[in-house]
Amino acid sequence: MQKLKGIIKKLSAVSMGAAMLGASLTGAIAADLKDYPAPFVDVVGKKFDYLLVLGSGATGEGAAKDTIGALDIASGLGSVAVSAAGTSGSTVTVTGGQSEDIPLTNNIASSNQLDSVLTDDDVESLFDGEITFQSTSYDVSEELLLNLNKNTSIQTSLSSSDDDYTSDVRMEIEKNALVYVYRFDESIQVNKTTNADPLEINFLGKALKITSVDSATKLTASVGTEYVMNSGETVEVESKSVKLTKVGSGGDVAVEVDGVSKILSDGQTATVNGLEIKNSDQFYDSNDQAQSSANLIIGTDAVDTIQDSGKYFGGDDVCSSDDPEDPDCWKWVVKNMNNVGTTTYTSTTANGISWGVAATHGPILALQNDFALNDYKDDPPAVGDCISFPNDYLSVCFDSLTTSDEDNLNIVLQIDTGFDSEASEAGVTLPSGSKALLISSNVADTLGIDVDASGFGPNGTLSADIKTDKIWINPFNESKQGVYYENSNGLTVLAGYVNTSRFGYIDHNKVRGTTGTAIVFNLTSIVPGPIATNQTGAAIELTLEPADTDLSPAGSDTIKTVWNLTTGHIVNSLGGTSSSEESAEVVWINTGIGTKDEDHRSRFGIIITNPKGKGSGDKVDLSVPADYTQANIVIKGTSTTVSGGTTGSSVVMAAVDKAPSPVLDTEVTNKVVDNLILVGGPAVNRLSAEFLGLTYPAYGAASGISSGEAILSLKDNGEKVAMIVAGYESADTVRASRVLRDYAANKANLKGAEVTVKGTTSNPSVVASTTSSDTTTA
């Protein structure tokens, strides 16, 4: 399946326009002015990503005006709104929706997680009330079902077995996992509907008039927007002018769409110049044509078929569109339309959703996802992404993580090749060059030795656990390992001995300000133990495991490292061979990961840094969160507000990042490293001429720009893009820059790879796109 770019939307409290800036544009394939101000602003990373380039050929007033244009562009980019909150580690507060912290690898709807059925009690914008159908009131309601059998789950590279996730956390979604249901809560006979007396409902916030039931699994409905128009009146629909030119005495109407005319008889539906129009009702005034009117239903589709397993309105292809509301990615559930009764279904973990289709069960009308996002090539939602139903009516959002990687501890396991000198400080004599396994932390007193552990034998009397940032394990004999630590004076001390048991832990109190143990260390001796590929002698296993068995059942998230011993019980290597990576030298649960060359994340949230690269140096590098990492999942409706996490209050880009200083075209030495904004035409800017394929300097007609006009043109610049802001004269360039300064007001007309700008400096207009047949005026 192709990457479903349009299905995933960025979660943002500011606007969908700003949210779209989180996507990156790479190369000419993705370059489209509709995404502006992306890629010149990264709202997720809160960074500017552009270089403004002025033409060195501009002089006098022309140079001054180009500078004014550059300032306008920079001003617009600096005003882009971004979230004031961080991307993780903060509390999420949701009003009018639902949120839950979901442990990594878990389904979002399961025991102690989100409810599998969400109603207006959970998402306040969902409807629960009455409709009137043929003079009778009926109770109806809306529900969001999180299918228990077709999962939506939080996954890591290890749990999903997808190495390309690296240390990222993703929300994977199976086909049919997300279901919106329009429930008929009172017994109703839908097939009584007629064109004259239709069943009218709001489905996903869109008005539907069901005018006929064609079969148990097929309906016909009016789905366009209704317009009550007087004769001679014009309305704008989908950027086209629709005029009701005349209403006839027999119910006929004459309409005109951008100059294309057609007569529609009473009740007729026809496509006129790309728009579908239904002549629904009329009022004819024989005395005054101007007082005559008609009720027209107009849209890309005015009347459509709703059929079980069919695509949502407008869909007719595979689910691979870049449109954020691609109808091909959602399919209908339509059943029992000739039955009289209420909507009935069951939902279980074993069987998922089972629709009631017995004769006693009533109509079922629902919509479910027809896509799966369950591996890297599908690009499942990451932090800040949402899966949104059509019309943005409901969204399932991966808001944030409960911990921030910036706060992680760095725990390193490695061989200390000169341990005999440290042991001497503890009063223990070892052969020269003795080695030990060293566990170290980058934060003082975050490693603990559990002196009360059942398998630990203290060296003397110890009344309290020992806190340190260095622990050594040095094999004493085949059944006992010496446990050493560095005290507050920097001296090595023998704490005691351990064989097969827990002996230490990572201390939460020091890391997050609360008591408790995050990760425990367990030690196992193996004599002999062919755990690693080339291992032939004795070994010790050092295993890290979360202490909280409620969030992580025992054995479900173990990181085991295997250390080979040589004669004399000296720690010799990670795995069987020194300075050589082996799959089984680092094991997550039962999966060897020692030869994986990317970062990986465990269920607790521990990042195992490049096991292969670190393993070749007999080292294991772990980035350990201060607490159990969970995913903040938010269910949003149209009235939901979210604060904290990746949302919250907004600020402008100028408040969070310093804008890059502009340069001259002659100062750019490597153009492909930046997204370029080239101000000035090919007569004054060498790079503008180069990207337009012209010989510098190109004046007048040779520039390809008409008198009184300017262009905004996106060009491929390797993995980056170059945008040319150029006018026939410098005043025209300023006019184009004003369009970018006020990009939000011009958003509807910025589309394709190039547009033309006319008008005046105070009132510029985008009048044409060279990559689209549309012609629009701001």
Side-chain angles (χ1 to χ4, degrees), residues 125-146:
S125 58
L126 290 176
F127 183 70
D128 185 356
E130 290 185 344
I131 60 170
T132 301
F133 173 47
Q134 298 182 351
S135 303
T136 302
S137 296
Y138 297 91
D139 287 336
V140 297
S141 59
E142 297 174 303
E143 292 179 343
L144 171 62
L145 307 187
L146 303 176

Side-chain angles (χ1 to χ4, degrees), residues 252-332:
D252 293 351
V253 297
V255 296
E256 184 179 285
V257 179
D258 279 353
V260 177
S261 299
K262 190 172 182 65
I263 295 175
L264 304 178
S265 59
D266 183 20
Q268 181 184 359
T269 300
T271 299
V272 185
N273 198 14
L275 289 180
E276 195 168 78
I277 303 176
K278 179 180 180 180
N279 178 13
S280 181
D281 302 286
Q282 319 82 32
F283 173 78
Y284 173 70
D285 189 331
S286 59
N287 296 318
D288 188 355
Q289 176 63 212
Q291 297 301 312
S292 297
S293 62
N295 181 18
L296 304 182
I297 300 173
I298 312 172
T300 304
D301 294 298
V303 178
D304 210 339
T305 297
I306 302 172
Q307 187 166 5
D308 190 50
S309 296
K311 304 292 187 180
Y312 186 64
F313 299 128
D316 58 6
D317 204 348
V318 296
C319 177
S320 60
S321 174
D322 288 344
D323 182 352
E325 297 179 3
D326 179 9
D328 292 308
C329 297
W330 302 90
K331 67 179 181 182
W332 290 101

Side-chain angles (χ1 to χ4, degrees), residues 699-742:
Y699 296 99
S703 69
I705 304 171
S706 299
S707 177
E709 296 182 358
I711 61 169
L712 299 172
S713 181
L714 279 176
K715 301 293 184 181
D716 182 26
N717 183 26
E719 291 300 310
K720 302 288 187 176
V721 299
M723 180 172 65
I724 301 164
V725 185
Y728 187 83
E729 300 283 354
S730 57
D732 303 318
T733 300
V734 173
R735 190 177 307 123
S737 70
R738 293 287 162 86
V739 169
L740 297 178
R741 183 194 66 181
D742 304 324

